[in-house]
Amino acid sequence: MPKDQPDLNLSPRVSDEIRKTTCYMCACRCGINVHLKDGKVAYIEGNRDHPVNKGVLCAKGSAGIMQHNAPSRLRAPMRRVGPRGSGEFEEISWDEALETAVSWMKPLRDTAPEKLAFFTGRDQSQSFTGLWAQHFGTPNFAAHGGFCSVNMATAGIYTMGGAFWEFGSPDWEQTKLFMIFGVAEDHDSNPIKMGIGRIKERGAKVIGVNPIRSGYNAVADEWVGITPGTDGLFILALVHELLKAGRIDLDYLARFTNAPVLVNGDPKSPEHGLFLRDDDGKPLVMDRATGKLTPFDRPGVKPDLAASHRKAGITHRTVMQLMVERYLQPEYAPEAVAERCGIEAHRIKRLAAELARVAFDEAIELDHSWTDFRGDTHDKMIGRPVSFHAMRGISAHSNGFQTCRALHMLQILLGAVETPGGMRFKPPYPKPSQAHPKPHGKVTPGAPLDGPHLGFVHGPDDLMLKEDGSPIRIDKAFTWENPMSAHGLMHMVISNAHAGDPYRIDTLFLYMANMSWNSSMNTRGVMEMLTDKTPDGDYVIPRIIYSDAYSSEMVAYADLILPDTTYLERHDCISLLDRPICEPDAAADAIRWPVVEPDRDVRGFQSVLCDLGARLGLPAFVNEDGSAKYKDYADYITNHQRKPGIGPLAGWRMGENGLTHGRGGPNEGQIDSYIANGGFFVAHVPDEAAYYKPWNSAYQDWAVEMGFYDTPQPYLFQLYVEPLRKFQLAAEGHGDRQPPDHLRERIKATLDPLPIWYAPLSDGREDPVEFPVHALTQRPMAMYHSWGSQNAWLRQIHGRNPLYLPTYWMEKLGLRDGDWVRVISSHGEITVPCAHMAALNKDTIWTWNAIGKRKGAWALDKHAPEATKGFLLNHLIHELLPPKGDGLRWANSDPVTGQAAWFDLRVRLEKSAAPEESQPAFAPQKSPVGKGPRELRWKSKS
């Protein structure tokens, strides 16, 4: 080296200290190392020891430094002084803010708790917020799941005790064929990216089923550009082919599913379609060895898939026979579904054959013995190395519940759930629907609700209805309209409250839910509802309390603002009671902790709830003498016990002989132990319990030890979901609790106990000739909902969003990239810039979600591209379906769960002259935090 070369430090120290915590830039909850310089955040990298991301960090995670320093951060509690929606506020003290909130809420708790509606966004602490709402006594609580992916979660739990993402993941190390449906890039992104990389290294194949070829679908070996809303029909055609070829796992179906359970086949019987049961209520099967009826779980039983039994003049046949009869019908043949799905019949047949070939011809055998719940010992673990993953793309339709169930059925028929190479559950799952609570709604002024708000119904008797049949909840969850709405219907709260249907509320309390912009259908209408007044001049929704860390569009519509911290400034608990960070081989949970202190007068929302709970005298938040039970959320995390020995965190609890994990009493040093361990805890599943979790005695015993269950809970996968049939029976006139007449036919048609497909409900109300194009949104990998598009780094990736059109429509309308297009739905219209995308279903258009911003929000300049070229499809979508001439307006939701049907949107397109900015454009809001600097920069002392 020449001697005149400078001596460079190739590894300069970027920080004085590293603090390890959990990312919050999406829902992956990856481990991060936060580098501090002079007490300020200087750099964020992945934590290589963390079980979720193993050091991998995406653009969002790295850009957390800009989220933490965003100019849009709220600075202090505020009280509205101008009209709602104007953004005019004055700063007040925390004491004044909390006293105001208590003065509004305490009279409600004492007289009519249901008049408080408390709904939260993507807070990841629902076990805590739900407890607060339960002890307030209101039935009106839920989180964002009802407009996100409740169909996926609910269909999975009713069918097999878990679903994808937070409940399970592929066996990345052994799968040979990975098929994804409707998966965008925002959820679980680092683990999926890492997993796809591992399986591609081994030569495994990836098939992407999605109208849009972006993200994971772009790196798939084969892309299936399906027509939106037809995934369920395509899946049932695959089932048809597998059954016709006899390529299903009969042994798996007989042992571990309700396929051999006997079903009442007499249409005249009040129990038609229900299981034959013994005196203890256990479903009965026919034992192949003895030819006798026996409970499904009796030791040594060999269930017969083809049995029939006649009792009291009624013939009972197995679920398996019902499935074969249904899915071998010609209507499910590839030739019958091809045109509607946009997939050639020969291709559907080839994909079915490929699934079967990998599952059965490339089966895996592990030499691991295990004992099942019947006491049978197996010397091998047989694996079907086909795995699936799905998310919002198939869930956010009005047929999404049954579509998700169809996908779970497909996995089960192949024997590819909880077997080597297939989908595996993440502890504390699997949990069958019976292991979850039922919903509760008994309101008693001055007292807690009679149980948790959300849960799983098992028939009409579990619905949340008053004596007169009207809904108990403001969102109409758990009613005949949406009987299995396990996550509530957040998207219906504001419109129902505005209409006073089923009743008026007094106070709307929201946390981190941008309901006046990207989190609502019918955005303009919602803004009008929030500002609408009675003839007396009062607001129709009298009071709105809102908490957020940032000056979002929703802030302007609140009367009282309780400013939250950023995720680097507060304690959080990613709990096994809620949404843990587990992977299939281990139970794991994690914390966030204040790696830096706030430089503003803000408080973590969970700590604020502890304070409010104490001021209101909520039993879970006060001691016997009335004093505050928890000084803040960290104190709650440490000392709260949901039941003896079970708290928010599973690691480093206090047992009789010192520290223990899973079950144990509070430990004052628990959070310090988490911090010392990198912010997380892991307990590995024993090797003999790694697979067959619902039926594996070793796993069940370990789950009891960890506190997931109090006793072993083995169960059968429910290919036939009997609770659905109970609702159909009621609609047919059986039972004491009856649906309203106008809902009978819909219940009979959609709540089928075997998976079905029906066209999206809006198809029956919109002319497909007038509105021939499907319109979708996707989450970009570099953004998570609306949070990221205020981020100085991430805005450089997605500062604006074009409307992507396929080749067919670009040519038909004579468009070029950068031209403007008018998009019209049955509800509204937008005028936006467009761009060409060839890898797109020919009758589908799409854009990135939540890029468009309203002027004045997020501390952005009024000329920011997000506010002038960015846009939302939300303006085109209504929370109600178009009228059909029957005098009724139906919710634009799945009729089983109430899932918001975002992706049923149909539109027509017209070429447009270029306006000055995207339309519709709304008047600017006044920013309570001002406008950010043109350049966001700072420097730590060296």
Side-chain angles (χ1 to χ4, degrees), residues 205 207 222 345-355:
K205 184 174 181 179
I207 301 173
E222 181 173 355
H346 68 85
R347 194 177 186 195
I348 297 173
K349 292 179 179 181
R350 178 180 57 77
L351 289 168
E354 190 166 6
L355 289 171

Side-chain angles (χ1 to χ4, degrees), residues 307-493:
S308 63
H309 177 74
R310 191 162 179 83
K311 181 180 179 181
I314 296 174
T315 298
H316 298 76
R317 296 187 302 148
T318 62
V319 167
M320 189 72 216
Q321 293 177 70
L322 302 180
M323 292 172 60
V324 169
E325 286 182 4
R326 170 169 293 181
Y327 302 121
L328 285 181
Q329 290 293 319
E331 66 189 272
Y332 295 113
E335 293 82 1
V337 309
E339 182 177 357
R340 186 147 205 170
C341 295
I343 308 168
E344 300 92 338
H346 68 85
R347 194 177 186 195
I348 297 173
K349 292 179 179 181
R350 178 180 57 77
L351 289 168
E354 190 166 6
L355 289 171
R357 179 187 60 78
V358 176
F360 299 106
D361 298 347
E362 299 187 25
I364 298 169
E365 287 192 5
L366 302 183
D367 289 324
H368 293 319
S369 65
W370 65 286
T371 302
D372 69 26
F373 65 103
R374 296 187 180 99
D376 292 339
T377 298
H378 309 260
D379 60 355
K380 295 181 183 297
M381 291 181 169
I382 307 299
R384 308 296 180 193
V386 174
S387 58
F388 299 85
H389 189 77
M391 269 304 292
R392 188 184 297 109
I394 68 169
S395 179
H397 293 280
S398 55
N399 58 17
F401 175 80
Q402 292 287 12
T403 292
C404 294
R405 287 195 60 231
L407 181 55
H408 298 320
M409 179 178 68
L410 174 62
Q411 298 180 92
I412 293 167
L413 287 172
L414 292 169
V417 180
E418 263 307 313
T419 54
M423 177 195 153
R424 304 174 65 196
F425 289 119
K426 300 178 179 182
Y429 290 88
K431 288 184 179 180
S433 61
Q434 296 88 343
H436 291 261
K438 294 181 179 181
H440 293 75
K442 183 180 179 183
V443 175
T444 304
L449 203 67
D450 60 333
H453 304 79
L454 305 176
F456 289 80
V457 302
H458 298 284
D461 290 343
D462 298 330
L463 294 178
M464 293 291 97
L465 299 171
K466 296 178 182 178
E467 290 295 326
D468 62 1
S470 63
I472 287 174
R473 293 174 53 102
I474 189 66
D475 60 358
K476 300 185 181 179
F478 308 111
T479 66
W480 294 108
E481 292 185 34
N482 321 278
M484 292 177 161
S485 41
H487 291 179
L489 287 81
M490 191 170 180
H491 58 292
M492 296 302 300
V493 171

Side-chain angles (χ1 to χ4, degrees), residues 24 125 385 423 459 483 529 579 764 822 904 907:
Y24 198 36
S125 60
M423 177 195 153
M529 294 174 201
R579 304 173 71 183
R822 185 170 170 238
D904 286 353
V907 299

Side-chain angles (χ1 to χ4, degrees), residues 607-731:
S607 290
V608 170
L609 277 189
C610 287
D611 191 339
L612 284 172
R615 292 175 187 240
L616 290 164
L618 307 188
F621 294 88
V622 294
N623 298 308
E624 290 185 6
D625 63 0
S627 60
K629 187 175 240 180
Y630 308 111
K631 63 181 180 182
D632 55 21
Y633 189 47
D635 191 11
Y636 169 91
I637 292 170
T638 301
N639 291 299
H640 173 72
Q641 293 191 81
R642 192 52 53 100
K643 58 184 178 181
I646 303 297
L649 293 174
W652 296 284
R653 302 193 67 78
M654 191 61 66
E656 293 182 1
N657 300 313
L659 291 179
T660 186
H661 303 307
R663 296 179 184 270
N667 165 24
E668 292 301 322
Q670 186 181 39
I671 288 180
D672 290 337
S673 295
Y674 272 80
I675 292 172
N677 196 55
F680 64 90
F681 159 76
V682 172
H684 291 281
V685 176
D687 288 344
E688 65 273 18
Y691 295 99
Y692 297 96
K693 291 186 181 84
W695 321 290
N696 188 327
S697 295
Y699 177 80
Q700 293 290 319
D701 291 342
W702 181 78
V704 171
E705 179 185 327
M706 288 298 298
F708 306 156
Y709 320 130
D710 289 334
T711 59
Q713 300 283 324
Y715 63 96
L716 299 177
F717 284 169
Q718 301 293 296
L719 294 165
Y720 184 102
V721 176
E722 190 183 39
L724 288 164
R725 178 59 193 152
K726 292 180 179 179
F727 285 104
Q728 282 187 322
L729 279 172

Side-chain angles (χ1 to χ4, degrees), residues 126-127 428 574-580 636 640 642 646-649:
Q126 290 162 33
S127 67
I574 302 97
S575 170
L576 288 165
L577 300 178
D578 195 2
R579 304 173 71 183
Y636 169 91
H640 173 72
R642 192 52 53 100
I646 303 297
L649 293 174

